[in-house]
Amino acid sequence: METAERIVPPAKTYEKNIAKYVMMPGNAIRRHPFVEDRMRRLQEYADACPFNRVEMGGTEIGIITDSTSYMYAKEVFGDKASILKLGMINPLPVSLILDFAEKVDRLVVIEELDPIIENHCRQLGLEVSGKDVFPLLGEYSQNLIAEKLGLPVPQGVKLDEQLPVRPPVMCAGCPHRGMFYTLSKNKVTVLGDIGCYTLGAVAPLSAVDMTLCMGGSISATHGFNKALGKESEGKTVAVIGDSTFMHSGMTGLANIAYNQSNSTVIILDNSITGMTGHQQNPTTGYNIKGDPAGKIDLEALCRAMGFNRVRVVDPYDLAACDTAVKEELAAEEPSVIISRRPCALLKYVKHKKPLIVDQNKCVGCKSCMKIGCPAISMKNGKAAIDNTLCVGCGVCQQLCKFGSLVSGEV
Amino acid sequence: MTKNVMIVGVGGQGSLLASKMLGHILLQEGYDVKVSEVHGMSQRGGSVVTYVRFGEKVYSPIIDKGEADFIISFEQLEAARYLEYLKPDGRIVTNIQQIDPMPVIIGAAQYPEDLIGKMKAKGVNVDAMDCLSLAEQAGSSKAVNIVLMGRLSRYFDFTVEKWEQAIRDLVPAKFVELNLKAFALGRGED
Ligand SMILES: Cc1ncc(C[n+]2csc(CCOP(=O)(O)OP(=O)(O)O)c2C)c(N)n1
Ligand code: SF4
């Protein structure tokens, strides 16, 4: 790959054109023929554009494919097969496909998931292999393509035993953990959202009941509580990250205040967008480049949206989390709990020394295992700390009745 | 012929730098290189896989079962998990460190015993070493990745200087000495 100078094309001048840009019914009807004609011209473009290309090779098999499936097909066939590589999928070319089909003996469509290209080919009256050979579900690979087309595939060695899986977990010291422990302990129904905290659903916390799409937790909780009434209001919460809340949580929050469900919303404010790799968001005071930017005050925002009960807790403080959750669920009005502590992986977050297990005090009761921290496990009947992972957050310490987890700080 | 190196481990162990370093050297050597990562949802703790493929012309970004010339593993269980991806005459270079996955931590599963012995019993070439101790000896438990690269370097024809230059190119200046030491300890006596 080579890099080149960035080309910044001059901005086009804006010209006012109400008939074109204001899509009220009368204008939309007059605009429709243009839209159809544009699609027809795009179709012509698809037949000639450089993103759709034919690579002729052997003509016994002709493969029509796109994106990463092209890579797998090339890996298997090299130039032993002919390939029509599609870079533009909507609209699909017509004459390019018909011409290609003429030149090969057998036509095979290789595309992951739904048979979009395959159905198009069939509409053109072509006989093709597609989902009759390849699976509808999952990702493809070079071996899968070879195998399904009757070619030999390499085999590897396997151990005879079943190995334990290694599902993703929240990091050691993750600020989300304390809040999920509290919700799990109080048997709260948790309608969740998308982010690192979706992992609150993983055992042993198993705290999250539902996750659908970005921002869905708050509206779902409102609807859930409207449908199930007062009893549900007293034991159901929405949990949503700070970034997801900014993305699409606010509309739902306004709905709770305005259409009055007595719902409790927990904003897990780790002061960053964790899961996708530490992007800033409108609550952090920095823009995506890390330059100072406007900072939205979550407390002020929630109050402005009609919430009287807005409180902040430190999720490392289990007792405080417990009180906050119990009180806000019991309250006879909607409330927001902001569970605030920065992501443990942020550069500015100072870590403490790893905890030390007092071997004389630990009785092996496994209470500290309930938080599902990857840094603590049982070795020879006693708790053991992994020094490479532990950041000394102290959440497990609060679960030990025997005081056997001691601070590594001197 | 395309060569395949798979780097496997647990999120947070530093496999990214290892693949970056390998990719860096291979590009300088003029190969067509593809590096792709599959990592979990959080930034730590899950099983992570990186594929490094190089040759005259590389198409697929992934390595499939029975295709890997090398599996570099940061952890025993992960080496065993991806064993099926190794070519029959391939080689596993692994750290002997064990990190309990969540099912083991919560007592729902046991960490299997003697995985390295079991792999060897299947006739697999396994080069296993205590990379964590060597990394600590070099000055930081975080240098496990470079210790492993040092070990891997024994199986490649590139000069030691090439690898060392890659460390200088990719690691922040204040950590270069530490990582050069980790590399040397991993490589061991020629
Ligand atoms: C509609 C949509 N856009 C983007 C994404 C990708 N995405 C996954 S998690 C996430 C944000 C998570 O940030 P936050 O809510 O702050 O939680 P954290 O990971 O920090 O705990 C995004 C944008 C998505 N899943 N869905
Ligand atoms: S990246 Fe941060 S927020 Fe995400 S699991 Fe790790 S510590 Fe928690």
Side-chain angles (χ1 to χ4, degrees):
Chain A
M1 198 185 297
E2 282 162 23
T3 54
E5 276 302 303
R6 188 188 180 94
I7 300 170
V8 185
K12 287 187 183 166
T13 39
Y14 167 69
E15 276 165 37
K16 188 164 178 142
N17 184 347
I18 292 174
K20 182 175 175 187
Y21 297 128
V22 182
M23 280 302 102
M24 53 191 173
N27 287 347
I29 289 166
R30 279 187 287 277
R31 192 76 189 149
H32 194 176
F34 172 84
V35 171
E36 292 301 328
D37 186 56
R38 183 174 56 195
M39 216 50 188
R40 188 191 52 73
R41 283 182 287 128
L42 271 171
Q43 174 103 57
E44 281 172 20
Y45 176 73
D47 278 326
C49 84
F51 311 119
N52 296 334
R53 64 170 192 268
V54 172
E55 295 173 7
M56 284 313 286
T59 52
E60 221 168 282
I61 293 189
I63 296 168
I64 306 181
T65 185
D66 66 337
S67 69
T68 186
S69 297
Y70 162 80
M71 300 293 187
Y72 304 142
K74 272 303 244 195
E75 187 76 36
V76 173
F77 289 99
D79 51 15
K80 290 200 191 75
S82 295
I83 295 185
L84 168 53
K85 154 88 167 77
L86 297 175
M88 183 167 132
I89 299 299
N90 183 32
L92 281 159
V94 172
S95 47
L96 190 64
I97 291 179
L98 291 173
D99 285 353
F100 182 71
E102 281 286 301
K103 293 184 190 139
V104 297
D105 302 340
R106 177 186 175 196
L107 204 57
V108 179
V109 174
I110 307 179
E111 60 187 323
E112 288 180 339
L113 304 173
D114 289 320
I116 308 292
I117 303 169
E118 179 185 344
N119 287 350
H120 176 75
C121 290
R122 288 189 202 282
Q123 275 175 8
L124 297 177
L126 295 171
E127 205 180 299
V128 291
S129 297
K131 296 298 164 188
D132 50 334
V133 181
F134 299 106
L136 179 68
L137 310 177
E139 293 177 6
Y140 290 179
S141 68
Q142 52 265 35
N143 281 3
L144 179 128
I145 287 170
E147 185 201 324
K148 298 295 175 191
L149 292 176
L151 300 171
V153 287
Q155 299 292 328
V157 199
K158 244 174 123 166
L159 291 187
D160 306 318
E161 65 194 290
Q162 191 76 22
L163 300 174
V165 293
R166 190 184 298 278
V169 288
M170 286 183 280
C171 308
C174 176
H176 299 326
R177 185 173 279 107
M179 184 50 82
F180 281 115
Y181 171 75
T182 306
L183 295 170
S184 170
K185 187 179 134 214
N186 285 290
K187 300 197 169 49
V188 177
T189 300
V190 177
L191 306 187
D193 228 300
I194 317 269
C196 290
Y197 51 92
T198 308
L199 295 169
V202 176
L205 292 166
S206 309
V208 177
D209 289 76
M210 184 214 78
T211 297
L212 263 185
C213 63
M214 290 270 292
S217 60
I218 301 184
S219 318
T221 302
H222 175 69
F224 197 79
N225 286 341
K226 277 287 182 193
L228 297 180
K230 197 171 163 62
E231 204 198 319
S232 166
E233 287 176 341
K235 59 174 194 201
T236 305
V237 299
V239 295
I240 184 165
D242 50 338
S243 176
T244 302
F245 179 73
M246 279 298 133
H247 174 275
S248 46
M250 287 182 285
T251 320
L253 201 72
N255 196 19
I256 288 176
Y258 183 61
N259 285 319
Q260 294 177 1
S261 67
N262 179 11
S263 297
T264 303
V265 173
I266 301 178
I267 302 176
L268 298 171
D269 179 8
N270 60 353
S271 310
I272 202 74
T273 315
M275 188 164 121
T276 48
H278 284 172
Q279 294 79 12
Q280 302 292 341
N281 71 51
T283 67
T284 64
Y286 297 93
N287 66 17
I288 192 75
K289 293 179 186 156
D291 299 330
K295 178 176 161 72
I296 290 179
D297 177 334
L298 278 177
E299 292 94 307
L301 176 71
C302 296
R303 289 205 177 88
M305 290 181 112
F307 283 71
N308 296 318
R309 297 185 72 97
V310 179
R311 67 198 276 177
V312 179
V313 287
D314 176 0
Y316 276 3
D317 184 344
L318 294 182
C321 287
D322 197 66
T323 312
V325 167
K326 285 194 168 101
E327 286 179 4
E328 296 317 318
L329 279 172
E332 295 283 338
E333 59 176 309
S335 54
V336 173
I337 301 172
I338 299 169
S339 175
R340 179 172 289 149
R341 185 172 266 275
C343 166
L345 300 190
L346 284 170
K347 286 227 165 62
Y348 67 81
V349 172
K350 288 260 174 303
H351 290 167
K352 291 192 182 153
K353 291 230 173 75
L355 299 185
I356 297 164
V357 181
D358 184 333
Q359 297 292 331
N360 296 325
K361 288 188 182 161
C362 178
V363 298
C365 71
K366 299 188 186 165
S367 291
C368 51
M369 296 292 127
K370 288 188 204 145
I371 50 162
C373 175
I376 184 162
S377 58
M378 297 301 288
K379 290 270 142 71
N380 305 323
K382 306 228 180 218
I385 300 280
D386 183 333
N387 287 341
T388 64
L389 294 177
C390 179
V391 300
C393 77
V395 172
C396 60
Q397 263 178 319
Q398 298 166 56
L399 296 180
C400 181
K401 294 190 198 75
F402 304 95
S404 43
L405 297 163
V406 265
S407 162
E409 305 284 303
V410 266
Chain B
M1 257 308 265
T2 300
K3 288 265 181 206
N4 298 316
V5 182
M6 236 167 126
I7 303 176
V8 304
V10 179
Q13 281 190 295
S15 61
L16 247 57
L17 177 61
S19 59
K20 220 173 169 180
M21 186 171 159
L22 194 54
H24 185 81
I25 296 176
L26 293 166
L27 274 178
Q28 285 181 343
E29 291 294 305
Y31 287 107
D32 186 29
V33 186
K34 279 204 172 125
V35 178
S36 38
E37 301 147 12
V38 181
H39 41 85
M41 285 174 48
S42 61
Q43 302 196 8
R44 298 281 152 99
S47 179
V48 289
V49 188
T50 308
Y51 306 107
V52 180
R53 309 192 71 217
F54 63 101
E56 206 173 307
K57 176 73 194 159
V58 177
Y59 288 105
S60 173
I62 64 164
I63 297 169
D64 218 326
K65 288 178 183 154
E67 288 191 334
D69 296 278
F70 291 96
I71 293 180
I72 315 298
S73 177
F74 284 67
E75 201 270 352
Q76 272 195 47
L77 177 57
E78 296 312 303
R81 190 184 312 289
Y82 292 99
L83 175 61
E84 221 187 335
Y85 286 78
L86 197 68
K87 273 184 187 161
D89 61 346
R91 179 180 292 276
I92 292 189
V93 178
T94 186
N95 181 9
I96 58 167
Q97 194 181 345
Q98 299 188 359
I99 301 176
D100 286 351
M102 201 42 70
V104 172
I105 289 179
I106 64 174
Q110 295 257 320
Y111 196 104
E113 274 171 36
D114 191 25
L115 286 168
I116 286 164
K118 285 171 189 161
M119 289 193 279
K120 285 183 175 162
K122 288 266 176 196
V124 180
N125 298 320
V126 186
D127 185 354
M129 64 195 295
D130 183 352
C131 301
L132 185 59
S133 297
L134 293 176
E136 278 163 356
Q137 201 178 318
S140 165
S141 60
K142 294 202 174 77
V144 163
N145 47 10
I146 302 300
V147 173
L148 271 169
M149 293 322 275
R151 196 65 180 183
L152 179 71
S153 73
R154 295 172 73 106
Y155 304 105
F156 280 73
D157 290 335
F158 313 141
T159 59
V160 170
E161 289 70 37
K162 279 247 156 62
W163 294 89
E164 290 179 343
Q165 189 54 44
I167 291 175
R168 286 193 194 93
D169 290 348
L170 296 174
V171 168
K174 60 178 172 174
F175 297 123
V176 166
E177 274 318 306
L178 188 160
N179 281 296
L180 289 176
K181 205 166 156 196
F183 181 86
L185 286 168
R187 187 172 170 104
E189 304 289 315
D190 277 320

